[in-house]
Amino acid sequence: MKAKAKKILILSYYWPPSGGSGVQRWMYFAKYLKAFGWEPYILTVDETTASYPVLDKSLLSEVNDIPTIRTKTREPLRWYSRLSPGLSNGGIPQGAVSTKTLFGKFTAFIRGNFFIPDARKGWRSFALRAAQKLIAEEGIDRVVTTGPPHSTHWVGAHLQNKYGLKWLVDMRDPWVNIFYNKQLNRTSWAIKMDERQENKILQQADIVITTLAGEFHQYLKSKAPDQQYYAIPNGYDSDLFDSVASESHTKFHLVFTGLLTYNQEYHGVLKVLEQLQHKGSICLSFAGQIQAEIVDEFKSKLQSIQVVDHGYIAHHEAVKLMKSADILLNFIFSGAQKDMISGKILEYIATKKPILSIGDPDSEAGKFVMQGSEAEMIESFNTEEIKQFITRAMINKGQLINNFPNIENWSREALSRRLEDLLLEF
């Protein structure tokens, strides 16, 4: 008898050509599930109507053989962006909320109290219709919803109710307790409504996965104690890393990639670099979504250091930049120490370059990072330890290797195997 096809529907608002670590998570899961014999189907948004903060068209080549259905959406976010200064691309800056002006406070209030659970909820009706049609045509019996945006999970709940299929919820980031919600001036009514929606999803899903366990799982269990929670972090793609050559920089090279906002404690590193800028030839490279004012601040205070802002670059170019580093910098979001781990951490670790991460060393992320032989998580105020770490790396430029135990267990392929095991439990 022919084995039943292992079909799975993945609903992800963010999908190539959108860029960022949130895209890469399920892009690689889908890639490897297909290699394992599954038939993944992707339901996402048409990029011409989506509110994608950044684009990376190079990622399309990773998923060009995976069936992808793109739908229209209604984006209240676009109305918000027209009201908000500096948001002409139709997106809200990730990881930051501007509340420095009266107008900024007003638009933050609108966002926090009228876009519940989030400003992408206009996609739900389009996604539901497309999902129902696909399930009827293909006989799919497993569905995944990944958030943010957490409004996507509403579609999974409706599909489970109608078809009795198995439903996995992926919470890449926290929902109600995401750190920037504190800046949105939310009313108690809005918070309670958001909590009711979160509780319902947590209680109804068959399985919930996150990128981090620890206190975050304890919080989730307080909402739905009978639920099953599993942590599968973002990994590194060994195929990609093997294909990118490692080229050392002529200067002592510090590299930051990703998202950098005022919600991250970077001032300790900046203070130390001010002190060290005359101690040698130094280059500081930024790549990703970096607030322009922060780059200007570094350039203003580090006159003797070459500060380069590459902007958002293709993923393989970001890996190439990481591999050229003498130190890789990471800044944990303030208020997110216990709930989140940066999507790029495993890629940093895979380079075997020294890692200086700024945050709580006793957090889950801190304990994970410091398994590396040349990796530290240091509080921003502890400038003496930061200085010692950077100085040692400068003295030993090109010689320090950050070995991490059982790094192969954190490859995208290995993590996809862990995901497959959960899916087969259904």
Side-chain angles (χ1 to χ4, degrees):
M1 181 182 294
K2 185 178 179 181
K4 183 180 179 181
K6 295 181 292 185
K7 296 183 178 183
I8 185 167
L9 173 60
I10 301 167
L11 284 87
S12 178
Y13 181 95
Y14 296 104
W15 194 254
S18 176
S21 60
V23 178
Q24 294 164 25
R25 179 170 173 81
W26 281 95
M27 177 188 80
Y28 283 116
F29 280 152
K31 170 186 173 180
Y32 283 107
L33 285 175
K34 185 175 179 65
F36 301 160
W38 290 72
E39 295 182 29
Y41 294 82
I42 308 302
L43 182 54
T44 188
V45 184
D46 187 323
E47 66 269 22
T48 62
T49 59
S51 298
Y52 289 159
V54 292
L55 297 177
D56 184 354
K57 294 185 178 180
S58 71
L59 298 179
L60 287 166
S61 62
E62 296 282 0
V63 291
N64 55 16
D65 61 342
I66 296 176
T68 302
I69 296 89
R70 301 180 187 273
T71 76
K72 294 180 180 179
T73 183
R74 295 188 188 93
E75 290 287 325
L77 193 59
R78 291 184 177 273
W79 291 100
Y80 173 91
S81 68
R82 288 173 185 149
L83 292 173
S84 302
L87 300 180
S88 58
N89 66 340
I92 292 177
Q94 293 179 312
V97 178
S98 176
T99 56
K100 292 182 179 180
T101 66
L102 183 62
F103 188 74
K105 292 177 181 178
F106 171 72
T107 53
F109 179 84
I110 297 285
R111 177 182 172 187
N113 293 279
F114 292 92
F115 297 157
I116 299 172
D118 52 64
R120 273 86 173 183
K121 64 181 183 179
W123 181 47
R124 297 186 301 189
S125 59
F126 295 93
L128 181 60
R129 286 196 295 271
Q132 290 173 335
K133 182 174 184 293
L134 188 63
I135 289 169
E137 292 174 349
E138 299 294 339
I140 297 169
D141 58 3
R142 296 177 179 90
V143 65
V144 171
T145 56
T146 178
H150 294 300
S151 54
T152 306
H153 303 311
W154 177 92
V155 183
H158 278 256
L159 295 174
Q160 186 198 55
N161 286 335
K162 182 171 182 177
Y163 298 102
L165 43 69
K166 297 299 183 179
W167 173 34
L168 182 148
V169 165
D170 175 39
M171 294 185 69
R172 302 192 311 274
D173 294 331
W175 183 334
V176 174
N177 285 348
I178 188 75
F179 64 94
Y180 53 73
N181 273 351
K182 296 176 183 178
Q183 300 170 289
L184 296 178
N185 300 313
R186 307 180 95 193
T187 63
S188 59
W189 171 85
I191 294 171
K192 288 178 181 177
M193 176 178 285
D194 211 13
E195 287 177 339
R196 283 197 297 270
Q197 294 186 28
E198 180 185 51
N199 292 350
K200 181 179 179 181
I201 295 302
L202 291 174
Q203 292 165 9
Q204 186 175 335
D206 290 292
I207 284 181
V208 177
I209 67 171
T210 63
T211 59
L212 195 67
E215 292 189 28
F216 184 38
H217 277 195
Q218 292 176 23
Y219 164 78
L220 296 176
K221 287 178 182 177
S222 72
K223 301 294 182 179
D226 296 330
Q227 182 57 267
Q228 303 175 77
Y229 301 98
Y230 300 88
I232 303 181
N234 296 310
Y236 71 95
D237 189 48
S238 54
D239 290 344
L240 173 61
F241 272 72
D242 291 344
S243 69
V244 176
S246 181
E247 299 178 6
S248 61
H249 201 286
T250 55
K251 297 183 178 182
F252 181 74
H253 195 199
L254 299 100
V255 171
F256 174 87
T257 67
L259 180 64
L260 185 57
T261 74
Y262 287 121
N263 278 332
Q264 290 148 282
E265 291 290 344
Y266 60 85
H267 291 99
V269 169
L270 177 56
K271 182 178 179 180
V272 169
L273 290 178
E274 281 187 85
Q275 299 170 6
L276 296 176
Q277 62 181 318
H278 301 294
K279 301 294 184 180
S281 182
I282 302 173
C283 177
L284 171 62
S285 291
F286 293 107
Q289 295 171 265
I290 319 296
Q291 288 190 210
E293 297 85 355
I294 295 177
V295 176
D296 292 341
E297 185 178 0
F298 273 87
K299 287 182 177 180
S300 173
K301 295 184 177 181
L302 304 179
Q303 297 285 327
S304 297
I305 290 179
Q306 181 186 6
V307 179
V308 181
D309 180 16
H310 295 271
Y312 192 88
I313 57 179
H315 188 209
H316 67 277
E317 291 295 331
V319 171
K320 184 177 180 180
L321 186 64
M322 292 179 204
K323 285 193 168 189
S324 71
D326 295 298
I327 286 181
L328 290 167
L329 297 172
N330 183 53
F331 304 98
I332 303 295
F333 283 100
S334 301
Q337 307 269 10
K338 300 174 182 178
D339 301 331
M340 298 171 63
I341 185 168
S342 174
K344 65 173 178 263
I345 282 295
L346 264 302
E347 293 193 329
Y348 271 17
I349 291 171
T351 67
K352 297 190 175 182
K353 301 292 184 177
I355 298 172
L356 174 58
S357 187
I358 303 303
D360 180 2
D362 293 323
S363 65
E364 292 296 315
K367 294 173 185 176
F368 184 79
V369 167
M370 291 194 296
Q371 292 180 67
S373 59
E374 297 293 343
E376 292 289 345
M377 181 80 83
I378 304 173
E379 295 278 18
S380 185
F381 60 79
N382 199 338
T383 54
E384 190 56 40
E385 282 192 28
I386 294 172
K387 186 174 182 179
Q388 290 174 7
F389 186 93
I390 296 176
T391 300
R392 179 170 176 269
M394 290 178 69
I395 294 171
N396 297 280
K397 174 177 166 56
Q399 300 176 39
L400 302 180
I401 300 174
N402 182 29
N403 290 310
F404 195 87
N406 303 313
I407 183 62
E408 65 278 0
N409 293 341
W410 306 102
S411 71
R412 297 281 189 181
E413 182 175 5
L415 294 171
S416 296
R417 285 289 186 193
R418 286 168 57 179
L419 173 65
E420 182 184 36
D421 289 341
L422 292 180
L423 294 173
L424 290 174
E425 286 184 14
F426 282 168

